[in-house]
Amino acid sequence: ALAYRGYFAFINRPLITSSGEPTSAVYGFLNQLIKILTDTKPDNVAVAFDSKEKTFRHDMYDKYKSTRAKMPEDMIPQLDRIREIVEALNFPLYILPGYEADDIIGAALKIAEKEGYESFAITPDKDYVQLVTPNIKLVKPGKSSDDIVIVDEEKVKEDYGFNPIQMIDYLALVGDSSDDIPGVAGIGPKTATPLIQQFGSLEGIYENIDSIEKKGVKKKLEVNKENAFLSKKLATIVLDVPMEIDISKTKMTEPDLVKFAEICNELEFKNIVEKVSKIFGEEVSSEEIEEVETESGLSKEKVKYKLIKTEKDAEALAKKLLKQEMVVFDTETDSLNVLEVNLAGVAFCYKEGEAYYAAVNPFLQKDDLFSKDLSDRIDVDKFVKIFKPVFENDNIKKVCQNGKYDIGVLRKYDIEVKNFYFDTMLASYVIDPDQKHGMDFLAQQYLNHTTIPLSSLLGDKKDASKIFEIDLEILSEYSCEDADITYRLYKVFKKQIETEKLEKVSYDIEFPLVPVLEDMEYNGVKLDVKGLNEFSKDLSILLDNYTSEIHKLADDTFNINSPKQLQTILFDKLELPPTKKTKTGYSTDARSLEGLRGQHEIIDIILNYRQVSKLKSTYADALPSLIQPSTGRVHTTFNQTVASTGRLSSVNPNLQNIPIRTELGKEIRKAFVARDKNYRILSADYSQIELRIMASICGDEGLTEAFNNDEDIHRATAALVFMVDPKDVDADMRRKAKEVNFGILYGIGAFGLKNRLGITQTHAKEIIETYFNTFKQVKSYMDASVKNAKEKGYAETLIRRRRFLRNINSSNRVVRQFEERVAINMPIQGTAADMIKIAMINIHKKLSAMKTKTKMVLQVHDELLFDIHKDEIDELQPMIVEMMESAFPLNVPIKVDSGIGENWLEAH
């Protein structure tokens, strides 16, 4: 189970050695094991594995575990590696043909209990709950190695409402889909728990079956009695397996650390040998390690990190920096909000293993907030005077990890960072958008080095405001390491970008976009707070009305926001058809409720209620609270490394999710206004850009002709698909064609189109078939996209931005089909993202060169928003449109719609 957890934890970014050996499962298993051994310090340890043979449960029930997906091929060799590791650690390894690891562990726990031990089973499986006693507990691994839960008797009673041993009866009733244990059809947790509480066991339930009042429950039990008792046998962990388990032989003994180090070296796991040696209270000698481990990581190298505290040393450092072609820098601050931040220092690095930290006192007057004396640092005005020429030197290339933040910090001190050249966080994103991009991960992944954790300086909450309380030498060491690591990552990534021909995406798009986004974030946008407050009141009235209507239709008063209470109303009281099953019952999420439209009028009202509730809480009420007091404006944060397609995302507030098709959603846009009476809002929006990109890529004559003639593409599509004259296309035909046009981009099938249009699946299938027969090149493009992705393992945009699709050849149909849809959509959506980013860079450069009063303030999907000065409208509006349309030429015309207004809604 631990191996599987490790494997799937890295499913989007599998760990692979330089020789191509997969290691995700081994790494996950080992990390969990180290965490648990460190925390619990056990006296005895044993490991059990399933055998390859079928078990007695398969003989009892041929469908047992029959629908389980076959073990992934790249996991099989990893189990052998885990066995090697277990053996090197001298842990007894138990395998018994015909039995499962569960049975061996259960038997071992019971033997240990008889001998007076307190024992723990390490497992995420709820089956093991039946073993819990005062002396037997479970260690349940969490989502990360830092998060484990101890399950004892009280925890079982709290979580399930019954005693541990009754878990067998519970599983007999509800079954276990992961093991194909049938249970009693139609009985879920809500029904099973009260039955067990009332009658004690499965036997007790059937002995008293006539006293069960609910006829439906009684009937299900009667019909499925055989399955219930079969399920109980299947769910029962056997405690008397036919093998000798000698607890005295499970004592923790000295491991073969040299052998362990050999394995770790082959798997390219660094720093793990050191961790394991500490668990056993010994260190491996450096001679032994050197025999088996190649030098790597910063820990085995001498580094030269220097703290700069005086003006004299700072001036000497600045003199050195001014002679460099490239400099890495990293700021340390007391806040993540660049508009409120105080600078604590800056680390510089221009040579591997050598870094300098210039400590800064940002408080020119004594500040009572800090009892600590900061006079041992360089006053901020002196720092600016000394280092401003370095940052603003156009001949020195600047490199950062997440440079947008650092540029924003220095802007506060009137320092403009010129020639921003490379960002290691963005380089990681370009190389593989689905991996993590934080420095700690990248250092471990690419340099085999564990960085100084921020929590060791600021505490677990990582409270940045405490930065001035940290010992200066420690802070210097931490910051210098960050700069040094960034330099090393820069060298690794620069080479990889060249090798994989990712230069255009990196140097023409992602890196140059950093100062553009920083400037947009700094500018911010003004809000009509009074209008939002009025809108919030209107939404409150609407919510009250919806609430009354829902309660009336349900003939019950309940909490609409409670999934459990809503489940009861919809599926028990109103008896609507069940949706997808979750751990807490049937799902009431948006997709599930959409599938229930037309079944009962309450569904539409609930969906309306949710939409209004979200608008109120997320925008009408939240937006005013996000206004920056010092500017009176909202400053969203743009993220370049979140969406795998290359699209930007934004937070605080998230502006990508404002609904624009609904009248209520439009009211939110109305609140985004021009900065003052001398300005207006200019909106410039790519028209149907993804469809144009698809037409350009696939070269379909019908689509190309429609765009060349500037036709209404949805009307033109409807005319061809429904075989009517364009003038005879009605609103319903156009609506269907529009859903098909956009649905095709996302690899929509008949089932998806059926749900979107509210038609039969047969009709949906006919429409799609007609579409493909009409636009033959579209189907060819889709097939070719999937084929290419299966061969290469990734999809890419026209500018070669990549997204890896590691499961596109998976035997799991659901997983495979998802990645096939991504293979179709990524080249289109990703190219659209590239296009608007190029436009943003070009426009920002032009506006800066012209020294305009007009500022670019927002980007939302395919739309750019500007605070445009009235005097500049005539010159800039056509210029912005032209620059967007010419950013990245296609084989069909690119069209940008633009508008001017007092607010975003008027302009759009």
Side-chain angles (χ1 to χ4, degrees), residues 64 169 174 308 338 386 533 585 778 882:
Y64 182 66
D169 304 287
V174 302
I308 306 293
V338 292
I386 294 167
N533 290 338
V778 173
E882 192 279 327

Side-chain angles (χ1 to χ4, degrees), residues 559-684:
N559 180 358
I560 301 165
N561 298 318
S562 164
K564 280 196 171 183
Q565 291 185 37
L566 190 57
Q567 284 169 9
T568 303
I569 294 294
L570 297 182
F571 305 117
D572 294 346
K573 186 166 185 182
L574 299 179
E575 297 183 337
L576 295 180
T579 55
K580 67 179 180 185
K581 193 91 179 277
T582 69
K583 289 179 180 177
T584 57
Y586 293 112
S587 174
T588 58
D589 64 13
R591 180 177 286 185
S592 299
L593 292 191
E594 284 289 349
L596 290 173
R597 276 194 193 270
Q599 300 282 345
H600 194 288
E601 58 185 309
I602 197 171
I603 299 297
D604 285 340
I605 312 296
I606 291 169
L607 288 167
N608 290 343
Y609 171 91
R610 283 185 176 176
Q611 186 203 28
V612 172
S613 181
K614 184 176 180 182
L615 278 175
K616 185 177 186 310
S617 61
T618 308
Y619 298 109
D621 294 344
L623 283 174
S625 69
L626 295 172
I627 292 172
Q628 181 68 27
S630 59
T631 66
R633 299 163 73 79
V634 164
H635 303 262
T636 189
T637 298
F638 292 102
N639 292 319
Q640 281 172 269
T641 61
V642 172
S644 301
T645 55
R647 276 184 180 261
L648 292 172
S649 66
S650 72
V651 291
N652 300 326
N654 176 358
L655 301 176
Q656 311 287 352
N657 288 342
I658 296 176
I660 57 172
R661 291 189 179 89
T662 65
E663 290 305 314
L664 288 173
K666 288 176 181 176
E667 287 295 315
I668 300 296
R669 289 194 163 208
K670 196 174 176 182
F672 288 79
V673 296
R675 64 178 61 203
D676 62 41
K677 59 182 175 51
N678 297 313
Y679 285 80
R680 292 290 179 268
I681 293 289
L682 163 65
S683 164

Side-chain angles (χ1 to χ4, degrees), residues 307-577:
L307 171 61
I308 306 293
K309 299 193 289 184
T310 67
E311 283 180 61
K312 184 183 174 185
D313 286 348
E315 285 166 353
L317 173 59
K319 203 171 177 182
K320 284 183 186 175
L321 295 173
L322 284 165
K323 293 176 183 175
Q324 308 307 317
E325 288 184 9
M326 190 274 287
V327 169
V328 169
F329 75 92
D330 178 49
T331 61
E332 300 300 338
T333 63
D334 65 350
S335 169
L336 294 176
N337 183 338
V338 292
L339 297 166
E340 296 177 350
V341 79
N342 290 302
L343 182 65
V346 181
F348 299 93
C349 176
Y350 55 84
K351 187 191 296 183
E352 190 170 308
E354 186 177 315
Y356 303 84
Y357 178 69
V360 175
N361 173 13
F363 307 106
L364 296 179
Q365 285 84 35
K366 172 127 178 36
D367 197 306
D368 293 332
L369 287 174
F370 297 99
S371 55
K372 194 174 175 84
D373 180 17
L374 303 179
S375 61
D376 59 344
R377 302 152 205 241
I378 306 161
D379 283 346
V380 70
D381 54 352
K382 304 266 175 55
F383 171 88
V384 172
K385 185 181 177 185
I386 294 167
F387 290 103
K388 187 177 169 97
V390 175
F391 291 114
E392 297 191 348
N393 189 314
D394 233 333
N395 296 320
I396 304 172
K397 294 173 178 174
K398 316 302 188 305
V399 175
C400 294
Q401 162 82 9
N402 188 17
K404 178 157 65 71
Y405 176 78
D406 298 297
I407 293 170
V409 169
L410 293 175
R411 183 201 276 257
K412 184 182 174 184
Y413 295 94
D414 195 30
I415 294 173
E416 182 186 354
V417 176
K418 292 184 178 176
N419 196 1
F420 182 76
Y421 175 64
F422 197 100
D423 193 309
T424 50
M425 181 177 80
L426 295 176
S428 158
Y429 172 72
V430 168
I431 289 164
D432 184 352
D434 290 306
Q435 71 177 335
K436 294 176 185 174
H437 312 295
M439 179 174 286
D440 294 349
F441 173 82
L442 297 177
Q444 187 74 57
Q445 184 76 356
Y446 291 93
L447 305 174
N448 301 314
H449 174 70
T450 302
T451 52
I452 300 168
L454 187 58
S455 57
S456 69
L457 278 69
L458 298 171
D460 291 335
K461 291 185 179 177
K462 298 179 183 175
D463 182 359
S465 67
K466 293 180 179 177
I467 197 160
F468 294 103
E469 298 170 23
I470 299 168
D471 179 275
L472 203 46
E473 293 287 346
I474 294 171
L475 180 59
S476 174
E477 183 82 7
Y478 166 80
S479 193
C480 284
E481 184 189 67
D482 274 5
D484 188 10
I485 289 286
T486 302
Y487 183 90
R488 294 165 193 255
L489 288 171
Y490 157 73
K491 291 207 307 184
V492 172
F493 290 155
K494 191 174 193 303
K495 188 175 179 182
Q496 198 167 344
I497 282 169
E498 288 166 6
T499 303
E500 298 184 22
K501 296 183 170 52
L502 299 168
E503 294 98 332
K504 189 166 181 63
V505 180
S506 303
Y507 297 107
D508 292 357
I509 300 180
E510 293 303 340
F511 301 158
L513 189 64
V514 170
V516 178
L517 295 178
E518 187 280 325
D519 196 48
M520 291 169 69
E521 291 177 6
Y522 175 80
N523 289 325
V525 64
K526 190 177 178 185
L527 284 179
D528 175 8
V529 176
K530 187 180 175 186
L532 278 174
N533 290 338
E534 289 299 319
F535 185 46
S536 179
K537 289 174 188 173
D538 293 342
L539 293 177
S540 290
I541 294 167
L542 199 51
L543 281 176
D544 288 343
N545 292 340
Y546 281 143
T547 301
S548 301
E549 210 169 336
I550 289 166
H551 288 165
K552 187 178 176 184
L553 288 168
D555 193 24
D556 199 347
T557 303
F558 67 101
N559 180 358
I560 301 165
N561 298 318
S562 164
K564 280 196 171 183
Q565 291 185 37
L566 190 57
Q567 284 169 9
T568 303
I569 294 294
L570 297 182
F571 305 117
D572 294 346
K573 186 166 185 182
L574 299 179
E575 297 183 337
L576 295 180

Side-chain angles (χ1 to χ4, degrees), residues 563-820:
K564 280 196 171 183
Q565 291 185 37
L566 190 57
Q567 284 169 9
T568 303
I569 294 294
L570 297 182
F571 305 117
D572 294 346
K573 186 166 185 182
L574 299 179
E575 297 183 337
L576 295 180
T579 55
K580 67 179 180 185
K581 193 91 179 277
T582 69
K583 289 179 180 177
T584 57
Y586 293 112
S587 174
T588 58
D589 64 13
R591 180 177 286 185
S592 299
L593 292 191
E594 284 289 349
L596 290 173
R597 276 194 193 270
Q599 300 282 345
H600 194 288
E601 58 185 309
I602 197 171
I603 299 297
D604 285 340
I605 312 296
I606 291 169
L607 288 167
N608 290 343
Y609 171 91
R610 283 185 176 176
Q611 186 203 28
V612 172
S613 181
K614 184 176 180 182
L615 278 175
K616 185 177 186 310
S617 61
T618 308
Y619 298 109
D621 294 344
L623 283 174
S625 69
L626 295 172
I627 292 172
Q628 181 68 27
S630 59
T631 66
R633 299 163 73 79
V634 164
H635 303 262
T636 189
T637 298
F638 292 102
N639 292 319
Q640 281 172 269
T641 61
V642 172
S644 301
T645 55
R647 276 184 180 261
L648 292 172
S649 66
S650 72
V651 291
N652 300 326
N654 176 358
L655 301 176
Q656 311 287 352
N657 288 342
I658 296 176
I660 57 172
R661 291 189 179 89
T662 65
E663 290 305 314
L664 288 173
K666 288 176 181 176
E667 287 295 315
I668 300 296
R669 289 194 163 208
K670 196 174 176 182
F672 288 79
V673 296
R675 64 178 61 203
D676 62 41
K677 59 182 175 51
N678 297 313
Y679 285 80
R680 292 290 179 268
I681 293 289
L682 163 65
S683 164
D685 191 6
Y686 280 111
S687 169
Q688 298 169 339
I689 192 62
E690 291 186 8
L691 284 172
R692 291 172 192 268
I693 290 167
M694 182 174 75
S696 182
I697 292 174
C698 75
D700 186 87
E701 289 178 11
L703 285 177
T704 302
E705 187 181 350
F707 281 124
N708 284 336
N709 296 336
D710 196 22
E711 296 174 27
D712 176 341
I713 191 65
H714 304 312
R715 181 173 293 279
T717 301
L720 289 166
V721 169
F722 295 108
M723 291 178 283
V724 296
D725 194 276
K727 69 178 187 302
D728 295 327
V729 171
D730 60 27
D732 187 55
M733 288 178 182
R734 187 183 183 280
R735 179 179 68 89
K736 287 175 180 173
K738 185 176 180 179
E739 288 293 349
V740 176
N741 273 331
F742 286 118
I744 292 299
L745 298 174
Y746 295 89
I748 198 170
F751 179 75
L753 189 62
K754 176 197 84 165
N755 289 337
R756 284 194 186 190
L757 295 177
I759 58 179
T760 66
Q761 191 153 336
T762 304
H763 188 192
K765 191 179 178 186
E766 287 171 1
I767 290 176
I768 290 175
E769 283 175 355
T770 308
Y771 183 94
F772 286 143
N773 286 331
T774 307
F775 303 111
K776 291 184 171 62
Q777 292 305 310
V778 173
K779 185 71 169 75
S780 298
Y781 157 75
M782 292 170 69
D783 293 342
S785 296
V786 173
K787 183 172 180 285
N788 286 338
K790 287 189 172 187
E791 289 171 0
K792 294 178 179 177
Y794 60 83
E796 62 183 349
T797 69
L798 294 177
I799 304 174
R800 293 186 68 95
R801 180 188 298 280
R802 289 179 184 174
R803 182 176 180 185
F804 288 92
L805 301 169
R806 295 180 173 86
N807 300 304
I808 197 162
N809 293 305
S810 169
S811 57
N812 183 317
R813 183 176 59 85
V814 176
V815 172
R816 184 182 66 253
Q817 287 181 344
F818 170 77
E819 298 223 332
E820 287 174 353

Side-chain angles (χ1 to χ4, degrees), residues 167 195 228 249 286 340 396 480 493 528 643 827 873 883 898:
M167 175 54 76
L195 286 171
K249 290 180 181 176
S286 57
E340 296 177 350
I396 304 172
C480 284
F493 290 155
D528 175 8
I873 290 174
M883 291 183 84
S898 70

